[in-house]
Amino acid sequence: MAARSSPSSYQIPFLRAATTVADHIRREVMSKELMKRSTGEKLGHVTISIEVATLHKDDASQSLIERADVCLYAAKRNGRNRVVCEADPEVASTNTAAQVS
C-alpha cells in the first residue's frame, strides 16, 4: 500500500488512516482458515505484515520501495503479522540512520 500527499501537514493523518485500513485488511486475512478442498483438512490461518509508506514529491519508485522494505524488516524483527508504518518510531530511527550514512 503506497500513499501520496503533497503538504507534509497531511502526511501523518493520512498515514494513520492508511495504517487503520491496512490493519483491517490484516485482521480479515487472519480470521480466515485455510482448508484443503479435496480432504477437508484444516491447514491453519494465514498471517500477513503490511508496510505503509508515503510517496514524496521528490521520490523515485526505488526510494519508496526502500522505505517500505525498512518497514517490512521491522515487522519481521517484531514478530510478523502486523502493520508497520514508516512514521513508527522504530522505523523512523532506522530511516534517519540510513540517511546519515
Side-chain angles (χ1 to χ4, degrees), residues 6-83:
S6 317
S8 59
S9 60
Y10 294 114
Q11 184 177 1
I12 296 302
F14 190 79
L15 284 172
R16 285 188 188 131
T19 301
T20 299
V21 170
D23 196 52
H24 286 292
I25 294 168
R26 182 192 65 80
R27 289 173 188 263
E28 189 63 28
V29 168
M30 190 177 70
S31 73
K32 306 299 181 200
E33 186 169 26
L34 294 178
M35 187 180 304
K36 190 173 183 180
R37 288 183 184 175
S38 61
T39 63
E41 175 188 1
K42 292 182 180 182
L43 301 174
H45 296 270
V46 174
T47 61
I48 61 172
S49 291
I50 302 174
E51 302 72 47
V52 178
T54 58
L55 179 62
H56 302 282
K57 187 175 183 177
D58 58 342
D59 264 342
S61 58
Q62 187 59 37
S63 56
L64 173 65
I65 291 168
E66 288 170 0
R67 284 196 313 279
D69 281 348
V70 170
C71 296
L72 174 64
Y73 297 129
K76 287 182 175 185
R77 259 193 323 275
N78 293 304
R80 303 176 188 231
N81 192 33
R82 61 187 61 242
V83 174

Side-chain angles (χ1 to χ4, degrees), residues 92-101:
S93 64
T94 304
N95 280 337
T96 303
Q99 290 173 355
V100 171
S101 38

